[in-house]
Amino acid sequence: FKRLPLENKSKDELYEMGNTFNLMMDLLETNFDKQDQFISNASHELKTPLTVIESYANLLKRRGFEQKELANESIEAIHSEAIRMKELTQQLLLLARQGENWNLQLEEVMIEKMTKDSIKAFQNASEHEIEFLVKEKVKTIADKQKLRQLLYIFLDNAHKYSDEKITVVVGRNGEEGYIRIEDRGQGIPKEDLPKVFDRFYRVDKARNRKSGGSGLGLSLAKELAAAIQARITLDSLEGVGTIATIYLPLKKDEAAG
Ligand code: ADP
């Protein structure tokens, strides 16, 4: 990126134009840097599960036919890494669409019903104990699928970072409806809390198999929330647990009542 040398400090039009041009170059440079960083992080994240898949496939090829146990272990590992790659690519695709038209399908959503259905679907896959409390039944106007994705990110994190029961509460707070997801897990250290919404940020850098996160979930949650005009908050205490809340604007007639 070449900047224009601006020797003449007189505030004439040419100087102003040159100055604007330089500002544009600075902006471009920062954006390119960010994009470079994103691509290199994404490639790195995809490379890790691929390396595991490759080495287990190799093992399977060489010794899998003689040793059944080894074959089972390899297949399990290949399977779970493939799932992780699939989730990661889905998140990357969604993030790549950020800023574009999200193509929202707005409809009336009964928050309590949508949450109940999502919890049921989630439990089919995870079997984590989830307590569901309804304080008040309210409606919002939202893109149901995107709202479900948003809720799923918080349920998934509560599941990954805690072994205890998860509590989900839906209700109303003034002009807003809310969905609160509480876990009693490891919590997030205070100094990490402002950073967990950054792309690829993970508190535990040495990711283990169980949690297996990519660090993309919460950054995607931020984008999704902005797209559907929801507000999200995250409160956490290390060693105690985490509370994520999704606030949704109430449907007009409800907000008045
Ligand atoms: P990941 O895919 O790693 O879970 P996220 O963007 O969803 O990525 O979260 C970023 C980091 O924030 C996680 O790696 C984890 O360290 C921390 N985190 C998020 N949710 C929770 C939670 N409910 N309990 C404890 N830590 C959490």
Side-chain angles (χ1 to χ4, degrees), residues 155-248:
L155 284 176
D156 191 42
N157 279 353
H159 161 69
K160 281 189 299 194
Y161 304 108
S162 113
D163 295 321
E164 307 290 321
K165 177 174 76 177
I166 300 168
T167 303
V168 180
V169 190
V170 298
R172 171 188 182 152
N173 187 3
E175 301 283 283
E176 290 175 310
Y178 66 82
I179 311 172
R180 201 165 69 216
I181 303 101
E182 306 173 3
D183 69 62
R184 296 153 188 83
Q186 63 197 57
I188 303 168
K190 208 168 160 211
E191 64 273 20
D192 292 292
L193 203 53
K195 293 181 256 175
V196 290
F197 284 94
D198 295 349
R199 285 177 185 183
F200 299 105
Y201 191 84
R202 282 191 303 256
V203 174
D204 182 6
K205 310 286 182 286
R207 178 186 52 199
N208 63 40
R209 270 268 170 72
K210 190 213 165 198
S211 53
S214 59
L216 283 179
L218 289 179
S219 60
L220 186 55
K222 203 166 78 177
E223 306 287 349
L224 281 167
I228 63 169
Q229 278 162 26
R231 205 159 60 79
I232 48 181
T233 59
L234 195 68
D235 298 296
S236 193
L237 211 53
E238 195 175 6
V240 177
T242 302
I243 302 178
T245 316
I246 306 170
Y247 292 96
L248 297 152

Side-chain angles (χ1 to χ4, degrees), residues 46-74:
L46 287 167
K47 216 174 133 198
T48 317
L50 264 178
T51 310
V52 180
I53 290 177
E54 191 189 12
S55 57
Y56 272 105
N58 255 330
L59 207 64
L60 203 58
K61 225 165 79 179
R62 281 189 288 117
R63 310 216 310 264
F65 290 107
E66 301 130 41
Q67 297 179 33
K68 194 156 180 271
E69 221 167 275
L70 188 80
N72 280 338
E73 189 198 327
S74 309

Side-chain angles (χ1 to χ4, degrees), residues 55-106:
S55 57
Y56 272 105
N58 255 330
L59 207 64
L60 203 58
K61 225 165 79 179
R62 281 189 288 117
R63 310 216 310 264
F65 290 107
E66 301 130 41
Q67 297 179 33
K68 194 156 180 271
E69 221 167 275
L70 188 80
N72 280 338
E73 189 198 327
S74 309
I75 290 166
E76 279 298 321
I78 290 173
H79 186 225
S80 74
E81 293 299 313
I83 290 175
R84 193 154 106 200
M85 277 189 76
K86 195 169 108 185
E87 281 170 3
L88 183 62
T89 25
Q90 272 165 352
Q91 288 179 329
L92 285 171
L93 278 174
L94 273 171
L95 276 174
R97 285 175 52 192
Q98 168 222 1
E100 267 180 41
N101 180 5
W102 282 86
N103 203 5
L104 294 179
Q105 312 280 323
L106 295 182

